[in-house]
Amino acid sequence: MVLRYGHRFVRDARVSTHVCLVARAFGADGIVFDKRDEEVRKKIEEVNRNWGGRFWVDFVEDPLEYIKKFKERGFVVHLTMYGINVNDVIEKIKEDYRKKGNMLVIVGAEKVPWEIYEISDYNVAIGHQPHSEIAALAVFLDRFFEGKELRRKFPDARVEIIPSERGKKVRRLQ
């Protein structure tokens, strides 16, 4: 599951939608926003209707309280360029996942408060240079799932891509 922290209406609508799309395509079950934005939810529900899957979007009023409660049943990974390099910590994260079964990945839209760094079990950097939270989430989930998520089939899809070297081939399933 992913927590999008610091979502800013209008300014972040497209980026937050892309965070959802990456989370969905790369293996997350759902995303929680710290601010209610029904437009983002509607867009993702439309993606689910056409492309399948049950990826969900939810909203919380107090993200720090949500994180604290989540930690009662899992652990927290905060993606930040100030953290430990993903290559140095990914195996430990996988081990924790096997033990605890629930992982919350936090991606920020704005500067996150220091409390996020403190409450997180892991502060993970994809690189130590400025980069997109969309890219960070994609790389992290790909490393975590070892590329297996890229061949995942989504239930109830109405359409699917037929891989081809050239051109665009789409098959209607329903």
Side-chain angles (χ1 to χ4, degrees):
M1 173 182 351
V2 176
L3 169 65
R4 174 80 164 140
Y5 188 91
H7 172 68
R8 297 164 290 192
F9 298 98
V10 182
R11 179 176 183 202
D12 285 339
R14 186 170 173 87
V15 171
S16 289
T17 300
H18 283 223
V19 169
C20 291
L21 293 173
V22 164
R24 179 188 167 278
F26 281 73
D29 297 325
I31 190 166
V32 176
F33 284 84
D34 64 340
K35 295 176 185 73
R36 182 168 293 280
D37 191 335
E38 291 297 335
E39 289 303 311
V40 172
R41 186 195 322 244
K42 287 177 191 173
K43 288 176 186 174
I44 298 309
E45 287 173 350
E46 183 179 338
V47 170
N48 284 341
R49 275 192 301 279
N50 289 319
W51 295 93
R54 292 173 178 78
F55 186 85
W56 50 266
V57 176
D58 205 355
F59 310 99
V60 296
E61 289 187 30
D62 186 342
L64 286 173
E65 189 60 34
Y66 180 83
I67 295 166
K68 288 175 189 172
K69 286 190 181 201
F70 185 91
K71 286 187 66 142
E72 294 172 6
R73 59 187 170 87
F75 68 101
V76 176
V77 174
H78 171 220
L79 298 182
T80 170
M81 67 183 190
Y82 303 105
I84 303 299
N85 189 284
V86 66
N87 294 327
D88 298 332
V89 73
I90 194 69
E91 293 306 319
K92 178 80 171 101
I93 291 170
K94 289 179 192 178
E95 183 181 315
D96 271 4
Y97 185 76
R98 285 189 292 274
K99 289 178 185 172
K100 298 177 183 175
N102 287 314
M103 175 175 64
L104 178 66
V105 180
I106 301 173
V107 292
E110 58 186 18
K111 290 187 179 193
V112 299
W114 184 249
E115 292 87 359
I116 297 290
Y117 289 87
E118 292 294 318
I119 199 170
S120 296
D121 297 290
Y122 299 94
N123 288 291
V124 177
I126 300 308
H128 300 285
Q129 293 290 319
H131 59 279
S132 153
E133 62 267 28
I134 300 166
L137 182 60
V139 170
F140 175 79
L141 290 174
D142 186 62
R143 297 283 170 89
F144 180 78
F145 289 115
E146 301 173 349
K148 294 176 186 130
E149 77 286 356
L150 300 178
R151 295 194 184 273
R152 192 170 132 200
K153 296 284 184 185
F154 289 87
D156 304 324
R158 293 180 181 171
V159 294
E160 73 177 1
I161 302 292
I162 301 169
S164 69
E165 192 172 320
R166 290 186 177 72
K168 298 178 181 179
K169 296 180 183 178
V170 179
R171 178 183 0 218
R172 289 232 166 262
L173 302 171
Q174 298 180 22

